[in-house]
Amino acid sequence: MIIIYGLLYASLKANPEDKSEYISHLFSVGFNHMVDNDWTVSCFIFKTLLDDNSQDEMGMALTQINYWIANKNLGRFADFKDQVIKRDFSAMNVSLRMAKEMLLENYQKAIPLLDEALLNELTPDNVETWPLFIQFRKTEHYKEFRKKYEKQPDSQVIKSEEINEQRNEEQDKELRNNREKTEKKSSKKSLDLSFLINLVVILLGVLTICTL
């Protein structure tokens, strides 16, 4: 799988006009691998995006956070903890400042920032889906969080039972959108998006055969 994503990323050099689209897609794929606890693949994807250095400031910050999350769940957080401590997000939005404290499990600072982020940047369901909160969800602080936000208006209530269904719907929508974009770009020369998707399918088939 890592080889496939590496080939996809390498193809960006052949299609610079599609680069932002590929970057966005790789970010989404990396996040989905994190949600599935596939830390090695997600770590590779976010490291690749960090090395690319072509995202805007917010995109790079989120990529950095997710890279640290993947490494933390691979048991390598000690190698990066000093980087997290030294990273200054003070000029950025509250969600990033909160994410830093969550990574460090500094809940006395993280929880007030989370409450602030929930006013206009996040929803309680984000706490259920973003792997940033894996360790937080194992604490007593999380139980208190659940009680607090279960009392909110229906639009803000945590609906854990709907999360997987919603995620599947979002993935299906993304696949449909990508298919439509691929069809529109079928006339492009060289390594266009359609060719790359076919390449991935072929490589997956080869890898499947090799594992039999």
Side-chain angles (χ1 to χ4, degrees):
M1 186 65 71
I2 287 177
I3 294 174
I4 292 171
Y5 290 131
L7 288 171
L8 280 170
Y9 178 77
S11 70
L12 292 175
K13 295 180 180 179
N15 289 276
E17 68 275 16
D18 293 333
K19 191 168 186 178
S20 61
E21 181 180 336
Y22 283 118
I23 292 293
S24 177
H25 180 67
L26 281 175
F27 186 96
S28 296
V29 169
F31 185 86
N32 288 337
H33 277 290
M34 278 206 310
V35 172
D36 291 335
N37 297 330
D38 194 348
W39 306 114
T40 300
V41 174
S42 61
C43 187
F44 170 81
I45 291 174
F46 289 119
K47 180 63 167 64
T48 299
L49 293 176
L50 282 175
D51 290 342
D52 179 78
N53 209 21
S54 66
Q55 299 178 86
D56 60 22
E57 186 178 19
M58 176 61 73
M60 287 297 291
L62 287 171
T63 296
Q64 180 71 80
I65 291 290
N66 286 331
Y67 177 64
W68 285 332
I69 292 170
N71 276 285
K72 182 173 184 176
N73 287 281
L74 282 170
R76 302 198 296 235
F77 190 60
D79 298 335
F80 298 91
K81 188 172 182 178
D82 286 343
Q83 292 181 25
V84 179
I85 292 172
K86 293 176 182 178
R87 182 63 186 267
D88 183 10
F89 290 122
S90 61
M92 305 195 74
N93 68 28
V94 66
S95 295
L96 289 172
R97 287 182 275 130
M98 176 275 299
K100 173 181 176 177
E101 301 302 336
M102 277 289 174
L103 274 167
L104 295 170
E105 299 182 28
N106 187 356
Y107 299 126
Q108 295 302 316
K109 290 184 178 181
I111 293 173
L113 291 170
L114 174 59
D115 287 333
E116 185 178 346
L118 288 168
L119 294 176
N120 52 28
E121 295 179 12
L122 301 177
T123 70
D125 279 349
N126 293 131
V127 178
E128 305 297 315
T129 56
W130 193 2
L132 169 70
F133 298 102
I134 287 176
Q135 288 74 28
F136 174 67
R137 292 196 294 262
K138 298 175 182 179
T139 69
E140 291 296 320
H141 297 295
Y142 171 69
K143 294 179 182 178
E144 295 173 6
F145 170 85
R146 291 277 307 201
K147 291 178 181 178
K148 178 178 180 179
Y149 284 95
E150 281 174 348
K151 299 176 183 178
Q152 298 299 309
D154 186 63
S155 62
Q156 289 293 310
V157 171
I158 297 173
K159 303 171 184 176
S160 302
E161 69 280 1
E162 297 178 7
I163 289 175
N164 287 334
E165 181 179 352
Q166 181 180 356
R167 179 176 169 234
N168 289 336
E169 290 176 354
E170 291 174 351
Q171 289 178 331
D172 289 343
K173 183 178 179 180
E174 182 179 357
L175 287 172
R176 287 195 300 271
N177 289 338
N178 286 337
R179 186 161 54 247
E180 290 173 359
K181 291 177 182 178
T182 299
E183 292 171 355
K184 292 179 181 178
K185 295 182 179 182
S186 60
S187 62
K188 284 193 174 184
K189 62 182 179 179
S190 186
L191 294 173
D192 61 9
L193 183 57
S194 178
F195 177 83
L196 289 172
I197 292 175
N198 290 330
L199 177 62
V200 171
V201 173
I202 292 170
L203 287 171
L204 283 173
V206 171
L207 289 175
T208 301
I209 293 171
C210 290
T211 57
L212 293 178

